[in-house]
Amino acid sequence: MKDMYTFDVDEAGAQHTYDLVCEAYTRLFQSLALPCTKVEASTGNMGGLRSHEFQVPSEIGDDKLLTCPVCKCRANVEMWERVTSACQVQNCGCSEATEHRGLELGHAFLLGTKYSDAFSATFKNSRDETDTAVMGCYGLGVSRILSTIVEVHNDEHGICWPVNVAPYRVAIIVLNGANSKSVAGKELEEQGELLYDQLQNTSLRGDVILDTSNRSNGVKMKDAMLIGYPYHIIVGKSHDMERLEVQKRSQGKTSFYMDISELVDTVNSAS
């Protein structure tokens, strides 16, 4: 877990910090292309004033969640009664809630003074009086986030990495296959290396990988699909530096044609 603890001078400030962190977590999961939902959760053994989990719907999830299709209340099952009793939507009742499973990727706790009281975490307030800090506790499951991205973004060919977390955003695949040592094969390899060098002089520097390995073309293509690089540039017999053949991993083997500038803009604008 990647943990964080916050200390505020009063409960209102702690609630404000809590809301800011929850909003930041929501933006983080959006940037990772994860359909994460903030749900009301029990404070459990941690204790405190309130708690939320950040859950991704998944059939293999450990947690049971309930969502009302009318008022959009969302909660872990043990918190459902408390959440629905506070529902403000007229005639809702949350009676038609649907149950689904989820993977917990993050958790937020508004702890109050439970632990600051225990450890005498005090400070001098604006009135020069001794006061107790109001705490918050937050955590992200880093390794679980990574595995959940793979769980959500995959198909029968392998992983489909979102652009923001891909090991490399672009893979240049030189289709010289069994002819890698021939004159024609060497020329294709040189074209691939030239393209690689040119892309290193753009904003994609460090985000491009080049495959000139002495393997069959089919194996190279299957490996690129399996590993899940978001964009593949195919360097084959019809290669043209002004009209690159590009395939987007999430769209299968459909080819698009563009120059280097258009490629850079396309990759940088993807999310």
Side-chain angles (χ1 to χ4, degrees), residues 97-265:
T98 56
E99 182 177 307
H100 51 96
R101 305 194 73 85
L103 289 166
E104 181 188 342
L105 303 185
H107 211 137
F109 294 91
L110 184 58
L111 297 173
T113 61
K114 176 180 178 179
Y115 296 97
S116 44
D117 281 337
F119 288 96
S120 299
T122 60
F123 65 97
K124 289 288 187 178
N125 62 26
S126 59
R127 299 180 300 278
D128 200 33
E129 299 169 341
T130 299
D131 212 340
T132 304
V134 183
M135 292 181 61
C137 173
Y138 311 89
L140 291 170
V142 178
S143 58
R144 177 170 276 207
I145 288 173
L146 190 62
S147 63
T148 301
I149 291 172
V150 175
E151 177 67 28
V152 171
H153 297 282
N154 72 86
D155 60 18
E156 67 273 21
H157 302 295
I159 305 170
C160 303
W161 287 111
V163 170
N164 288 341
V165 290
Y168 294 94
R169 291 191 283 173
V170 176
I172 302 172
I173 306 166
V174 178
L175 300 184
N176 50 4
N179 299 317
S180 60
K181 295 185 179 180
S182 68
V183 173
K186 288 294 184 183
E187 288 178 351
L188 283 178
E189 185 173 328
E190 290 172 2
Q191 289 294 313
E193 291 172 347
L194 176 61
L195 176 58
Y196 176 85
D197 290 341
Q198 289 184 343
L199 288 175
Q200 294 305 308
N201 292 319
T202 72
S203 58
L204 297 182
R205 180 181 179 84
D207 255 332
V208 181
I209 189 168
L210 172 65
D211 185 355
T212 59
S213 61
N214 185 22
R215 300 180 298 162
S216 73
N217 295 339
V219 169
K220 290 182 182 181
M221 293 298 296
K222 286 183 178 179
D223 270 5
M225 296 283 280
L226 177 65
I227 295 171
Y229 307 116
Y231 291 90
H232 306 161
I233 303 177
I234 312 303
V235 179
K237 292 180 180 179
S238 60
H239 175 67
D240 183 346
M241 291 292 283
E242 300 301 319
R243 194 167 179 268
L244 302 173
E245 181 180 358
V246 180
Q247 294 180 356
K248 189 174 181 180
R249 173 65 181 85
S250 61
Q251 296 180 16
K253 297 181 180 180
T254 302
S255 293
F256 305 89
Y257 295 88
M258 59 189 74
D259 61 26
I260 288 179
S261 177
E262 291 172 319
L263 171 70
V264 172
D265 289 343

Side-chain angles (χ1 to χ4, degrees), residues 43-79:
T43 56
N45 293 331
M46 183 69 76
L49 305 176
R50 66 183 311 196
S51 172
H52 284 90
E53 295 169 347
F54 291 82
Q55 296 269 0
V56 168
S58 173
E59 293 179 358
I60 66 169
D62 301 321
D63 299 309
K64 290 183 179 180
L65 311 173
L66 290 169
T67 301
C68 175
V70 180
C71 70
K72 305 304 180 185
C73 284
R74 299 182 181 92
N76 211 312
V77 287
E78 65 263 27
M79 290 295 294

